[in-house]
Amino acid sequence: GDSVTQMEGPVTLSEEAFLTINCTYTATGYPSLFWYVQYPGEGLQLLLKATKADDKGSNKGFEATYRKETTSFHLEKGSVQVSDSAVYFCALAHQAGTALIFGKGTTLSVSS
Amino acid sequence: KAGVTQTPRYLIKTRGQQVTLSCSPISGHRSVSWYQQTPGQGLQFLFEYFSETQRNKGNFPGRFSGRQFSNSRSEMNVSTLELGDSALYLCASSLGSATQSGNTIYFGEGSWLTVV
């Protein structure tokens, strides 16, 4: 079945460091790919998405490119801030009527 | 524009009891989905409702059920609660079906259920 695999956390960085959180997926066809972020005590917020191969999603300095050849959707940010500390979830969804399938989540902790 | 609203935010129940959680989607959204989040299993899809009809269902026992009303508000019910049902239950809404390309899925803040 479909699945999403994220790098294990926690990821600990200093402010202004470069961030990469790896995400790979297994799915038939051409799913849409998403990154969601969850701040402590809150629900999920959509960070960015891509709906077809080679699409780049971007928001708030975060970027991710849909790579069909490597089945990956890695999240990157050039300079993290303390306020970016949260749990990040990679997810996929098919157009055919299945729900969001999430990875286990990666905890990011940024210190000043 | 109000977001997805879930009530109650926190609740404690005893094993064997049942619980009903409520979700009000964003105005105009017709699709409501429910997810369970636990430290061990992560985020798992429960079911999706669209225009009062269940469209998709995850791999959960029959103790978990839901419904959607004509105003798109949704409820989920868990009967005969078990300790393992302790979790954050998240509701999400979108304009069309949650899986249609281009639809953005918005999540509520969740209902924290503790079963003792």
Side-chain angles (χ1 to χ4, degrees), chain B residues 3-107:
Chain B
V4 179
T5 304
Q6 293 186 243
T7 57
R9 290 293 318 278
Y10 305 91
L11 67 165
I12 301 173
K13 291 287 188 178
T14 303
R15 271 182 302 174
Q17 287 186 313
Q18 72 166 11
V19 66
T20 298
L21 307 178
S22 180
C23 173
S24 292
I26 292 171
S27 178
H29 284 193
R30 296 167 64 190
S31 170
V32 174
S33 303
W34 289 89
Y35 292 80
Q36 181 195 64
Q37 185 177 20
T38 60
Q41 299 300 316
L43 279 154
Q44 294 184 287
F45 170 73
L46 281 156
F47 27 66
E48 177 195 5
Y49 287 86
F50 182 79
S51 295
E52 302 179 66
T53 301
Q54 186 180 88
R55 290 174 65 98
N56 298 292
K57 189 176 189 304
N59 188 26
F60 277 81
R63 300 185 298 107
F64 292 80
S65 62
R67 58 178 176 169
Q68 186 180 34
F69 302 95
S70 58
N71 61 359
S72 293
R73 191 177 68 84
S74 176
E75 290 181 347
M76 68 162 283
N77 183 277
V78 187
S79 62
T80 319
L81 283 166
E82 301 177 358
L83 295 179
D85 297 333
S86 295
L88 175 65
Y89 290 88
L90 290 164
C91 172
S93 78
S94 64
L95 272 173
S97 174
T99 55
Q100 281 181 318
S101 178
N103 271 340
T104 296
I105 302 167
Y106 298 88
F107 282 81

Side-chain angles (χ1 to χ4, degrees), chain A residues 32 34 36 38 41-44 46 49 51 89 93-100 102-104, chain B residues 9 35 37 40-43 45 48 56 88 90 99-105 107-109 112:
Chain A
S32 295
F34 307 82
Y36 280 86
Q38 186 175 36
E42 299 184 11
L44 296 172
L46 177 66
K49 65 179 183 180
T51 58
F89 293 91
H94 281 292
Q95 296 184 27
T98 57
L100 285 168
F102 287 91
K104 293 288 189 184
Chain B
R9 290 293 318 278
Y35 292 80
Q37 185 177 20
Q41 299 300 316
L43 279 154
F45 170 73
E48 177 195 5
N56 298 292
L88 175 65
L90 290 164
T99 55
Q100 281 181 318
S101 178
N103 271 340
T104 296
I105 302 167
F107 282 81
E109 294 188 327
W112 287 93

